[in-house]
Amino acid sequence: MKKLCTIFSTWMLLFSLLARGLAEDVRHEIHFPNLPDYKTLKCDFHMHTVFSDGQVWPTVRVAEAWRQGLDAIVLTDHVEYQPHKEDLSTNLQRPWELAADEAKKKKLLFPRGVEITKDTPPGHYNAIFLKDANQLKTKDFVEQVKRANEQGAFVFWNHHTWKGADKGRWQDVQTLLYDNKWLHGMEVANGSEYYPEAHKWCLEKNLTMLGNTDIHEPDLRRTTTAGDHRTLTLVFVKEPTLDGLKEALKQRRTAVWHKDRLIGSKEWLAPLFDASVIVERPHLYANKTLWLKIHNRSDVDIRLKKSGGRGPTEIFLAADGTSLVQIADVPSAEPMDLTYTAVNFLIAPKTGLPVTLHIEKP
Amino acid sequence: MKKLCTIFSTWMLLFSLLARGLAEDVRHEIHFPNLPDYKTLKCDFHMHTVFSDGQVWPTVRVAEAWRQGLDAIVLTDHVEYQPHKEDLSTNLQRPWELAADEAKKKKLLFPRGVEITKDTPPGHYNAIFLKDANQLKTKDFVEQVKRANEQGAFVFWNHHTWKGADKGRWQDVQTLLYDNKWLHGMEVANGSEYYPEAHKWCLEKNLTMLGNTDIHEPDLRRTTTAGDHRTLTLVFVKEPTLDGLKEALKQRRTAVWHKDRLIGSKEWLAPLFDASVIVERPHLYANKTLWLKIHNRSDVDIRLKKSGGRGPTEIFLAADGTSLVQIADVPSAEPMDLTYTAVNFLIAPKTGLPVTLHIEKP
Amino acid sequence: MKKLCTIFSTWMLLFSLLARGLAEDVRHEIHFPNLPDYKTLKCDFHMHTVFSDGQVWPTVRVAEAWRQGLDAIVLTDHVEYQPHKEDLSTNLQRPWELAADEAKKKKLLFPRGVEITKDTPPGHYNAIFLKDANQLKTKDFVEQVKRANEQGAFVFWNHHTWKGADKGRWQDVQTLLYDNKWLHGMEVANGSEYYPEAHKWCLEKNLTMLGNTDIHEPDLRRTTTAGDHRTLTLVFVKEPTLDGLKEALKQRRTAVWHKDRLIGSKEWLAPLFDASVIVERPHLYANKTLWLKIHNRSDVDIRLKKSGGRGPTEIFLAADGTSLVQIADVPSAEPMDLTYTAVNFLIAPKTGLPVTLHIEKP
Amino acid sequence: MKKLCTIFSTWMLLFSLLARGLAEDVRHEIHFPNLPDYKTLKCDFHMHTVFSDGQVWPTVRVAEAWRQGLDAIVLTDHVEYQPHKEDLSTNLQRPWELAADEAKKKKLLFPRGVEITKDTPPGHYNAIFLKDANQLKTKDFVEQVKRANEQGAFVFWNHHTWKGADKGRWQDVQTLLYDNKWLHGMEVANGSEYYPEAHKWCLEKNLTMLGNTDIHEPDLRRTTTAGDHRTLTLVFVKEPTLDGLKEALKQRRTAVWHKDRLIGSKEWLAPLFDASVIVERPHLYANKTLWLKIHNRSDVDIRLKKSGGRGPTEIFLAADGTSLVQIADVPSAEPMDLTYTAVNFLIAPKTGLPVTLHIEKP
């Protein structure tokens, strides 16, 4: 039968097309489980089109979101920076209008938004859930934010370390917005950047944490994987509607997926971890050693370090994978709790999430 | 922010390692849902090691099965063909003995087996769930099969078109085994080959259908995908134990995953389809057109052709993907049933599975 | 040393990023060798931007061409179809103007072009190497083609089977253009389509054969491979300049890479084959059998079928790969010629290129 | 034409099989250019089979080497450690004998070898180019090395930091071998490990540097890429024969490819760099800025840092890729030399190779 077998390995590759055949039309869901009381939406609230300095027509952003498994996106073209204006309309409603039908057909939540774009200070701010974006065409920054709030918008400070001598500093203008409850969140991650100070401020000041792409070019990713994904915001909603999304954002029920880690607060990373990690009952107890499987139902690789007691020093739970874990020096087959830190679930800068793995009796 | 963005696309690739990092140690489950009353096991009952004409030590087969997401495998080295015997033991129990511990640690079901290897007729037969493989070391073929059955084995005819003038024919010797209830199944697929006649005979004679790799070389696949997977047998068990596996095989509760299709009987492909395909309630009804999502929770791409009434002519449901389906000419927003054929769910040679997609009221 | 080794396979994946790190900025050349007297340029003469019904800003096309290894592209937005005109300039020079600097920095040949877009007949025509595209803004089709020719343009008929009752037929209007020498070529391939009739006509009427993408969406390919590449035109130039490119096109020195095959004339496919395939001197002669390596220096998989005499029935030469070839029944170690057909080098519809493989004395 | 285009992207993936179709039979060469006077061979001198503690039959190593593009391999099963001896022959000549025919057919250089396997000190040593491996079956270590040398072997010290209290130290026994000229080289890399001290000693003591896999399991790589490759030794030979290989090893003409870097001496990394990197004449000079392409003809990504003068701070030359380089502040269009360090061409521990990029007049 050897001949058959060498042919075998050949044809297997012959229909790999079918798996990926309609890659650009097929949607592949992003895997993060729902929480006990909330549905987990995968969202990107910051991106550009040809209507400011982006390189794609608005509908391209909808197609990208569909195939990559996003649930909500916002086009946030610059109010103040429109380098294509010699050739293109400057109507701030147009990007949304041109893509809204496609978004509806694809069941994407698609609030209206813009990026208010000032030199630092105050810097750049996204206002989303707008009704009439063109009303923000005024020079006065505080007036812009005020008008956005009057429309019921959710407003957040983008990439706060951008740009100039004052970059990265919290100044009077932010205090003014904050005291008026006109500022609701901050980007703790933008594209490749993570902002530990923003992370800290969000925890201290009760601001919502956001992670977005700020993408300008076409996104070449066909799908989403642990190793090649958008920076995005997980939002834990009661209902997957525009209102449900806004309510969750205002109540700060978010976590940010950035590179190989999740960024957020203990309040939301803990239940996300618990929903993602499934510890099986040990299937073997021999020579005072337990053998068991642990499943990771999320698209993020999870890295655990032991913080005390029994168990291996490190456990690696690959995205959507199953790990075989061996616990040595177990005197008798009883249930036990292992204490670990999920080092890439950041509940504060440089601080991993403490977790407990409950091991049943084999 | 453009600069950030070009850097962005760079780092994304930087940690792709983590997704795949421990690729050879991580297990990735194969996605076929359980049925309402049965657990779906992914199995390969035919493979070789250095102890006959294979190229790997027995433990390699266990490692392959683990990382590729299999639940049960059997090493089936040839009784009669041992080209390495000048250098290697010919004890037929050894392959199993050398890998059994690894299989137990990895929670694989790992029955003992051999391949009885005669010229055609009668051809090659696997006997699995053996107690003492060495008892089959006798020249008389019928005696071998009898002894295997006395040990409680499950016996099936391999790649029946192999080899010589009489290949592919059902002859007296098969009738003898069959009448004695010593022959329980046939390979309907082996590696790259599908045998329509075996498919037909299994349906007519109530034999169990099996699909296996018959692999001799190392398997280079790191994981399992729709486009690059083992030929394997899905077994629908009441309990994921050795006894549960044998009971299910004897009761013919199997389906075969071969290339881009499933092969089996209507009895088992129908519930597998129903468990795999999730039709969402339509999210949009406009211009007499419905828009809805259909999810495919299995690792096989599913190809549907309309057999009558409303709906698109063809629907492609990518493995583990979501398709957007548009139904035109819908006069009013009422529930409806669409009738299709799942053309790559073969319930008989050249015969797809008829299916109904129930569409709820939007 | 086993422990080291299992870790080993892990880290190997850890820096796979570096290979692909700057994937969007790095150019990967397409591998087709130069011919003895000509340089081989890889070209796409048909694509769209937001300035007609495309989805990307003109600079995106330059970025795609750079990273995928193209040498020349032309933006060919529709003269008559501008669905974004409510928002966007209709100046036919703008797409070129907006991307010309980027093209120059990246050393791409970047002639000006448009697509003349009429109902069938006459259908759609690209005019490239224009000086002033806006001069083609007139309703009369023949006048448009005449003006293009007065500017020195190269004019070709696109996807001739598109669309309506008269599609695919050569009619009086084509004869008029042809007799005036205003029509220089035809697309024999457009995206996924191959037009055997166009192939035949080009051979009969001495028209230049072209293969293009006609792409409207962003191109997600990061690079070019045998299995996932643009439909493109190879142009055999004396000099890699705009003039050299036009001279070669007018002299019909082209071949088309479409899916898994090359399309063209024997005149140009024969030297391309000879430059691509390197037959090594046999390294082993034993048991009246020769063993030798054959290298394929191109990005297309080459499939050979024996047309007589010695050698294996089929030889597969994978793109950029080396095949081991075994020639049996060789009575003595003398040089010999093997006669094959390169079945996927189409010198006419359904007609492969006859080739000779010269085998040296071992 | 939009419809065509969405279909287009689909079929492209349909024949990706062809590129990879016979992946396990096709050889893909590893790209490192020859040097002006030497041919560059890609070699792995350390690997195991079932005949010691490896997991594969000897022929598997030949198949791996063929498809991954290696030119020479040596099977080096342990003399003193044969855990399969209960089932398998302990004849040290057998691994070579069983695979030699396959190696010859595939034109691989295939010297005989073993690994002398002692506790530390002295540790593990490979003896390659043996005539009769079984003559090394004696307990006395120095006697073993002496006998190997009497057979004309090339002997090197493996992974010198392995294992025990004395690991990693140069002791009397090494001095004894060295003074007798019985020790010719050291592994500076083994699998995932790099040994800076071995690197330093090789430079000081004129020992040959080697990098090997020490692989025990099947190698799952289908081919070789910058991001996923074997640790291997480049050997610069006058002739690609067994004698040529041994002469080059004894003359220390090697470099080691380990992870994302090359390890060696300036003497051989400098010409390898020069042969790999092709600087094109600048194609654009505008605004006192030069634009030019740099090609990297090797399979290693090359990272350059400016060590003075003009040019970008860093230049990244992706494996087999082309980079676009921009040189600012160039007052006039004259030739110039840029001085850089190739930081991942290690000519000593933590020391990159100094290089000059000569820029022609545009």
Side-chain angles (χ1 to χ4, degrees):
Chain A
M1 296 311 296
K2 274 187 95 174
K3 222 169 187 175
L4 273 191
C5 271
T6 51
I7 301 171
F8 173 68
S9 57
T10 304
W11 69 254
M12 271 305 181
L13 297 158
L14 271 176
F15 57 94
S16 67
L17 56 117
L18 285 163
R20 306 170 309 150
L22 297 159
E24 297 182 26
D25 296 330
V26 170
R27 173 179 173 91
H28 287 278
E29 305 293 339
I30 300 172
H31 301 112
F32 283 100
N34 293 328
L35 304 190
D37 297 318
Y38 301 100
K39 201 170 153 48
T40 302
L41 301 187
K42 298 89 187 182
C43 314
D44 185 351
F45 300 117
H46 190 169
M47 63 192 68
H48 296 274
T49 78
V50 291
F51 282 84
S52 61
D53 56 347
Q55 303 288 305
V56 300
W57 199 248
T59 46
V60 170
R61 297 299 177 210
V62 171
E64 291 167 351
W66 167 261
R67 72 173 188 259
Q68 293 177 17
L70 295 180
D71 299 305
I73 61 169
V74 189
L75 308 181
T76 53
D77 280 306
H78 299 288
V79 176
E80 287 87 355
Y81 181 53
Q82 300 185 315
H84 303 154
K85 68 188 165 192
E86 188 182 338
D87 297 290
L88 198 66
S89 164
T90 59
N91 176 348
L92 293 174
Q93 299 280 87
R94 286 302 279 160
W96 184 91
E97 287 170 8
L98 289 163
D101 267 3
E102 273 305 296
K104 196 186 280 181
K105 288 176 184 171
K106 293 186 161 74
K107 205 183 174 183
L108 291 178
L109 298 177
F110 192 58
R112 271 187 186 84
V114 296
E115 183 169 18
I116 301 168
T117 308
K118 304 296 188 194
D119 288 343
T120 303
H124 297 196
Y125 295 77
N126 275 5
I128 64 176
F129 297 98
L130 288 175
K131 285 177 184 129
D132 179 358
N134 285 323
Q135 293 211 0
L136 271 63
K137 279 188 173 171
T138 178
K139 289 210 168 169
D140 184 79
F141 169 68
V142 175
E143 176 64 19
Q144 285 176 306
V145 176
K146 181 162 171 281
R147 288 185 190 180
N149 272 273
E150 284 165 0
Q151 293 185 25
F154 178 89
V155 177
F156 58 93
W157 189 4
N158 297 338
H159 45 76
H160 77 112
T161 65
W162 182 265
K163 153 187 187 179
D166 284 322
K167 68 182 182 180
R169 292 171 47 200
W170 183 285
Q171 300 193 315
D172 289 349
V173 63
Q174 280 87 19
T175 298
L176 174 65
L177 301 188
Y178 182 75
D179 288 347
N180 276 296
K181 301 191 191 305
W182 291 342
L183 179 65
H184 311 107
M186 290 186 75
E187 285 187 343
V188 298
N190 174 294
S192 66
E193 296 287 311
Y194 161 54
Y195 312 110
E197 198 157 41
H199 192 182
K200 194 172 64 112
W201 290 343
C202 285
L203 291 168
E204 291 170 2
K205 297 173 198 288
N206 279 327
L207 291 167
T208 303
M209 298 184 213
L210 299 130
N212 301 309
T213 56
D214 200 0
I215 194 165
H216 289 68
E217 311 290 333
D219 193 324
L220 303 186
R221 294 178 192 95
R222 294 177 191 268
T223 181
T224 294
T225 64
D228 189 14
H229 69 87
R230 292 184 173 219
T231 293
L232 54 77
T233 309
L234 304 178
V235 186
F236 309 107
V237 302
K238 291 179 188 162
E239 291 209 338
T241 61
L242 280 179
D243 284 348
L245 180 62
K246 191 157 88 174
E247 187 270 346
L249 285 172
K250 292 234 167 161
Q251 293 304 315
R252 306 180 304 279
R253 294 199 304 271
T254 66
V256 169
W257 190 22
H258 180 250
K259 296 186 184 177
D260 61 344
R261 62 195 165 200
L262 287 164
I263 300 162
S265 65
K266 188 173 177 178
E267 186 177 3
W268 299 107
L269 292 188
L272 184 61
F273 179 92
D274 290 342
S276 299
V277 172
I278 309 299
V279 181
E280 276 198 19
R281 194 161 59 78
H283 56 268
L284 181 64
Y285 176 58
N287 302 321
K288 308 218 167 193
T289 300
L290 287 174
W291 295 83
L292 65 140
K293 292 184 190 177
I294 304 184
H295 304 279
N296 176 359
R297 301 194 306 154
S298 81
D299 270 349
V300 66
D301 296 311
I302 299 177
R303 299 197 303 273
L304 301 177
K305 287 209 174 147
K306 184 164 66 172
S307 48
R310 283 208 198 79
T313 312
E314 301 193 350
I315 300 177
F316 179 79
L317 304 174
D320 304 295
T322 299
S323 295
L324 187 63
V325 174
Q326 180 179 357
I327 307 173
D329 300 321
V330 176
S332 66
E334 297 300 324
M336 69 179 84
D337 284 329
L338 308 181
T339 55
Y340 279 81
T341 301
V343 295
N344 63 328
F345 276 54
L346 292 182
I347 58 172
K350 299 188 182 172
T351 309
L353 173 74
V355 298
T356 299
L357 303 178
H358 179 68
I359 312 295
E360 292 177 60
K361 183 169 172 165
Chain B
M1 295 311 297
K2 276 187 91 174
K3 224 169 186 174
L4 273 191
C5 272
T6 50
I7 301 171
F8 172 69
S9 56
T10 304
W11 68 256
M12 271 306 181
L13 297 159
L14 270 176
F15 58 94
S16 66
L17 56 118
L18 286 162
R20 307 172 309 149
L22 297 160
E24 296 181 27
D25 297 329
V26 170
R27 174 180 172 91
H28 286 278
E29 305 293 340
I30 299 173
H31 301 111
F32 283 100
N34 293 328
L35 304 190
D37 297 317
Y38 301 100
K39 201 167 151 51
T40 302
L41 300 188
K42 298 90 189 181
C43 313
D44 186 351
F45 300 117
H46 191 169
M47 64 191 68
H48 295 274
T49 77
V50 291
F51 282 83
S52 62
D53 56 346
Q55 304 288 306
V56 301
W57 199 248
T59 46
V60 170
R61 297 298 177 212
V62 171
E64 291 168 351
W66 166 261
R67 70 174 189 260
Q68 293 177 19
L70 294 180
D71 299 305
I73 61 169
V74 189
L75 308 182
T76 54
D77 280 306
H78 300 287
V79 176
E80 288 86 357
Y81 181 52
Q82 299 184 317
H84 303 154
K85 67 187 164 192
E86 189 182 336
D87 297 291
L88 197 65
S89 163
T90 58
N91 177 348
L92 294 173
Q93 299 280 85
R94 285 303 279 160
W96 185 90
E97 286 170 9
L98 289 164
D101 266 3
E102 271 306 295
K104 196 186 280 183
K105 288 177 184 170
K106 292 186 162 73
K107 205 185 175 182
L108 291 178
L109 298 178
F110 191 58
R112 270 187 187 83
V114 296
E115 182 169 17
I116 301 168
T117 308
K118 304 294 187 196
D119 287 342
T120 302
H124 298 195
Y125 295 76
N126 276 4
I128 64 177
F129 297 98
L130 289 175
K131 283 175 187 133
D132 180 357
N134 285 323
Q135 294 211 358
L136 273 61
K137 278 188 174 172
T138 177
K139 287 210 169 167
D140 185 79
F141 169 68
V142 174
E143 176 64 19
Q144 285 177 304
V145 175
K146 181 162 170 281
R147 289 186 191 178
N149 272 273
E150 284 165 1
Q151 293 185 25
F154 178 88
V155 177
F156 58 93
W157 189 5
N158 298 337
H159 44 76
H160 76 112
T161 65
W162 182 266
K163 161 187 180 176
D166 284 322
K167 67 182 183 183
R169 292 171 46 200
W170 183 284
Q171 300 192 317
D172 289 349
V173 62
Q174 281 87 20
T175 299
L176 173 66
L177 302 188
Y178 183 74
D179 289 347
N180 277 296
K181 299 192 192 307
W182 291 342
L183 179 65
H184 312 105
M186 291 187 74
E187 284 187 344
V188 298
N190 173 295
S192 66
E193 296 288 311
Y194 160 53
Y195 312 110
E197 200 158 41
H199 191 182
K200 195 172 63 113
W201 289 344
C202 286
L203 291 168
E204 289 171 3
K205 298 174 198 285
N206 279 326
L207 291 167
T208 304
M209 297 185 213
L210 299 130
N212 301 310
T213 57
D214 199 0
I215 193 164
H216 290 67
E217 311 289 332
D219 193 325
L220 304 185
R221 295 178 192 94
R222 294 178 190 267
T223 181
T224 294
T225 65
D228 189 12
H229 69 87
R230 291 183 174 222
T231 293
L232 54 78
T233 307
L234 304 179
V235 185
F236 308 107
V237 302
K238 291 179 188 162
E239 289 209 341
T241 61
L242 280 179
D243 284 347
L245 180 62
K246 190 157 87 172
E247 187 269 346
L249 284 172
K250 293 233 166 159
Q251 293 304 316
R252 307 180 302 281
R253 294 199 303 273
T254 66
V256 169
W257 189 23
H258 180 250
K259 294 187 186 179
D260 61 344
R261 62 195 165 201
L262 287 164
I263 299 163
S265 65
K266 189 171 175 180
E267 187 177 1
W268 298 108
L269 292 188
L272 184 61
F273 180 92
D274 291 341
S276 298
V277 173
I278 309 298
V279 181
E280 276 198 19
R281 194 162 58 78
H283 56 268
L284 181 65
Y285 176 58
N287 302 319
K288 308 218 166 192
T289 299
L290 285 175
W291 295 83
L292 65 139
K293 291 185 190 177
I294 303 184
H295 304 278
N296 176 359
R297 300 194 305 155
S298 82
D299 270 349
V300 67
D301 296 310
I302 299 176
R303 299 197 303 274
L304 302 176
K305 285 209 176 147
K306 185 163 67 174
S307 48
R310 282 209 197 80
T313 311
E314 301 192 347
I315 299 176
F316 179 78
L317 304 175
D320 304 293
T322 299
S323 294
L324 187 62
V325 174
Q326 180 179 356
I327 307 172
D329 300 320
V330 177
S332 67
E334 296 299 327
M336 68 179 85
D337 284 331
L338 307 181
T339 56
Y340 278 81
T341 301
V343 294
N344 64 327
F345 276 55
L346 292 182
I347 57 172
K350 297 189 185 172
T351 310
L353 173 74
V355 298
T356 299
L357 303 177
H358 180 67
I359 312 294
E360 293 177 60
K361 184 169 171 167
Chain C
M1 296 310 297
K2 274 188 94 174
K3 223 169 186 174
L4 273 191
C5 270
T6 50
I7 302 170
F8 173 69
S9 58
T10 304
W11 70 256
M12 270 305 179
L13 297 159
L14 270 176
F15 58 94
S16 66
L17 56 118
L18 286 163
R20 306 171 308 150
L22 296 159
E24 297 182 27
D25 296 329
V26 169
R27 174 180 172 90
H28 286 277
E29 305 294 339
I30 299 173
H31 301 112
F32 283 100
N34 293 329
L35 305 189
D37 297 318
Y38 302 100
K39 201 168 151 50
T40 301
L41 301 187
K42 298 90 189 180
C43 313
D44 185 352
F45 300 117
H46 190 170
M47 63 191 68
H48 296 273
T49 78
V50 292
F51 282 83
S52 62
D53 55 347
Q55 304 288 305
V56 300
W57 199 249
T59 45
V60 170
R61 296 300 178 210
V62 172
E64 290 168 351
W66 167 261
R67 72 173 188 259
Q68 293 177 19
L70 295 179
D71 299 306
I73 61 169
V74 189
L75 308 181
T76 53
D77 281 305
H78 299 287
V79 175
E80 288 86 355
Y81 181 52
Q82 300 184 316
H84 302 155
K85 68 187 165 193
E86 188 182 338
D87 297 291
L88 197 66
S89 164
T90 59
N91 177 349
L92 293 173
Q93 299 280 87
R94 285 303 279 161
W96 184 90
E97 288 170 8
L98 289 163
D101 267 4
E102 272 305 296
K104 196 185 280 180
K105 287 176 184 171
K106 293 186 160 72
K107 205 183 174 183
L108 290 178
L109 297 178
F110 193 58
R112 271 187 187 81
V114 296
E115 182 169 18
I116 301 168
T117 308
K118 303 296 188 194
D119 289 343
T120 303
H124 297 195
Y125 295 77
N126 276 4
I128 64 176
F129 297 99
L130 289 175
K131 285 177 184 130
D132 179 358
N134 285 322
Q135 292 211 1
L136 271 64
K137 278 188 174 170
T138 178
K139 289 211 168 166
D140 184 80
F141 168 69
V142 174
E143 176 64 20
Q144 285 177 305
V145 175
K146 181 163 172 281
R147 288 186 190 178
N149 272 273
E150 284 165 358
Q151 293 185 25
F154 178 87
V155 177
F156 58 94
W157 189 5
N158 298 337
H159 45 77
H160 77 112
T161 65
W162 182 267
K163 155 185 187 180
D166 284 323
K167 68 182 183 181
R169 293 170 47 199
W170 183 285
Q171 300 193 314
D172 289 349
V173 63
Q174 280 86 21
T175 299
L176 174 64
L177 301 188
Y178 182 74
D179 288 347
N180 276 296
K181 299 191 192 309
W182 290 342
L183 179 65
H184 312 106
M186 292 186 74
E187 284 187 343
V188 298
N190 174 295
S192 66
E193 297 287 311
Y194 161 54
Y195 312 110
E197 199 158 41
H199 191 182
K200 194 173 63 114
W201 289 344
C202 285
L203 292 167
E204 290 171 2
K205 296 172 199 287
N206 279 326
L207 291 167
T208 304
M209 297 184 213
L210 299 130
N212 301 309
T213 57
D214 200 359
I215 194 166
H216 289 69
E217 310 289 333
D219 193 325
L220 304 186
R221 294 178 193 93
R222 294 177 191 267
T223 181
T224 294
T225 64
D228 189 14
H229 69 87
R230 292 186 174 218
T231 294
L232 54 78
T233 308
L234 304 179
V235 186
F236 308 107
V237 301
K238 291 179 188 161
E239 292 209 338
T241 61
L242 279 179
D243 284 348
L245 180 62
K246 191 156 88 173
E247 187 270 345
L249 284 172
K250 293 233 167 160
Q251 293 305 314
R252 305 179 303 280
R253 294 199 304 272
T254 67
V256 168
W257 189 22
H258 180 250
K259 296 186 183 177
D260 61 345
R261 62 196 166 201
L262 286 164
I263 300 162
S265 65
K266 189 172 176 178
E267 187 176 4
W268 299 107
L269 292 188
L272 184 61
F273 179 93
D274 291 342
S276 299
V277 173
I278 310 298
V279 180
E280 276 198 20
R281 195 162 58 78
H283 56 268
L284 181 64
Y285 176 59
N287 302 322
K288 308 219 167 193
T289 299
L290 287 173
W291 295 83
L292 65 139
K293 292 184 190 177
I294 303 185
H295 304 279
N296 177 359
R297 300 194 306 154
S298 81
D299 271 348
V300 67
D301 296 311
I302 299 177
R303 299 197 303 273
L304 301 177
K305 287 207 175 149
K306 185 164 66 172
S307 48
R310 282 207 198 81
T313 311
E314 301 193 349
I315 300 176
F316 179 79
L317 303 174
D320 304 295
T322 299
S323 295
L324 187 63
V325 174
Q326 180 179 357
I327 307 172
D329 300 320
V330 177
S332 67
E334 296 300 324
M336 69 180 84
D337 283 331
L338 307 181
T339 56
Y340 278 80
T341 302
V343 295
N344 64 327
F345 276 54
L346 293 181
I347 58 173
K350 299 188 182 171
T351 310
L353 174 74
V355 299
T356 299
L357 303 177
H358 180 68
I359 312 296
E360 292 177 61
K361 183 169 171 165
Chain D
M1 295 310 298
K2 276 186 93 174
K3 223 168 187 177
L4 273 191
C5 271
T6 49
I7 302 171
F8 172 69
S9 55
T10 303
W11 69 256
M12 270 305 182
L13 297 159
L14 270 177
F15 59 95
S16 66
L17 55 118
L18 286 162
R20 307 172 308 150
L22 296 159
E24 296 181 28
D25 296 329
V26 170
R27 174 179 171 91
H28 287 278
E29 305 293 339
I30 299 173
H31 301 111
F32 283 99
N34 293 328
L35 304 190
D37 297 318
Y38 301 100
K39 201 166 151 51
T40 302
L41 300 188
K42 298 89 188 180
C43 313
D44 185 351
F45 301 116
H46 190 169
M47 63 191 69
H48 295 274
T49 78
V50 292
F51 282 83
S52 62
D53 56 346
Q55 304 289 305
V56 301
W57 199 249
T59 46
V60 170
R61 298 298 178 212
V62 171
E64 291 168 351
W66 167 261
R67 71 173 189 260
Q68 294 176 19
L70 294 180
D71 299 306
I73 61 169
V74 189
L75 308 181
T76 53
D77 280 305
H78 300 287
V79 176
E80 287 87 357
Y81 182 53
Q82 299 183 317
H84 303 155
K85 66 187 165 192
E86 188 182 338
D87 298 292
L88 197 66
S89 163
T90 58
N91 176 347
L92 294 173
Q93 298 280 85
R94 286 303 279 160
W96 185 90
E97 287 170 8
L98 289 164
D101 267 3
E102 272 306 295
K104 196 185 280 181
K105 288 177 184 171
K106 292 186 161 73
K107 205 185 175 182
L108 290 177
L109 299 178
F110 192 59
R112 271 187 187 83
V114 296
E115 183 168 18
I116 301 167
T117 308
K118 303 295 187 194
D119 288 343
T120 303
H124 298 195
Y125 295 75
N126 276 3
I128 64 177
F129 297 97
L130 289 174
K131 284 177 186 130
D132 180 358
N134 285 322
Q135 293 212 358
L136 272 63
K137 279 188 174 171
T138 178
K139 287 210 170 168
D140 184 79
F141 169 68
V142 174
E143 176 65 18
Q144 285 177 304
V145 175
K146 181 162 170 282
R147 290 186 190 179
N149 273 271
E150 283 164 0
Q151 293 185 24
F154 178 88
V155 177
F156 58 93
W157 188 5
N158 297 337
H159 45 76
H160 77 111
T161 65
W162 182 267
K163 160 187 181 176
D166 284 322
K167 68 182 184 183
R169 293 171 47 199
W170 184 285
Q171 300 193 316
D172 289 350
V173 63
Q174 281 86 21
T175 299
L176 173 66
L177 303 188
Y178 182 74
D179 288 347
N180 277 296
K181 298 190 193 308
W182 290 342
L183 178 66
H184 311 106
M186 291 186 75
E187 284 187 343
V188 298
N190 174 295
S192 66
E193 296 288 310
Y194 161 53
Y195 311 110
E197 200 158 40
H199 191 182
K200 195 172 63 112
W201 289 344
C202 285
L203 292 167
E204 289 171 4
K205 298 174 198 286
N206 279 327
L207 291 167
T208 303
M209 297 184 212
L210 299 130
N212 301 311
T213 56
D214 199 359
I215 193 164
H216 289 66
E217 311 288 332
D219 193 325
L220 304 185
R221 294 177 192 94
R222 294 177 190 268
T223 180
T224 295
T225 65
D228 189 14
H229 68 88
R230 291 183 176 223
T231 293
L232 54 78
T233 309
L234 304 178
V235 186
F236 308 107
V237 302
K238 290 179 189 162
E239 289 208 340
T241 60
L242 280 178
D243 284 347
L245 180 62
K246 191 157 87 171
E247 186 270 346
L249 285 172
K250 294 234 167 158
Q251 294 304 315
R252 306 180 303 281
R253 294 199 304 271
T254 66
V256 169
W257 188 23
H258 180 251
K259 295 187 185 178
D260 61 344
R261 62 196 167 200
L262 287 164
I263 299 162
S265 66
K266 189 171 176 180
E267 187 177 1
W268 298 108
L269 293 187
L272 184 62
F273 180 92
D274 290 343
S276 299
V277 173
I278 309 298
V279 181
E280 276 199 18
R281 193 163 58 79
H283 56 267
L284 181 64
Y285 176 58
N287 303 321
K288 308 216 166 193
T289 299
L290 286 175
W291 294 82
L292 65 139
K293 292 184 190 178
I294 303 184
H295 303 280
N296 176 359
R297 300 194 305 154
S298 81
D299 270 349
V300 67
D301 297 310
I302 300 176
R303 299 197 303 273
L304 301 177
K305 285 207 177 150
K306 186 164 66 172
S307 48
R310 282 208 198 80
T313 312
E314 302 192 349
I315 299 177
F316 179 79
L317 303 175
D320 304 294
T322 299
S323 295
L324 187 63
V325 174
Q326 180 179 356
I327 307 172
D329 300 321
V330 177
S332 68
E334 297 299 325
M336 68 179 85
D337 284 331
L338 307 182
T339 55
Y340 279 80
T341 301
V343 295
N344 63 327
F345 276 55
L346 292 182
I347 58 173
K350 296 189 185 171
T351 310
L353 173 74
V355 298
T356 300
L357 303 177
H358 180 67
I359 312 295
E360 293 177 60
K361 183 167 172 168

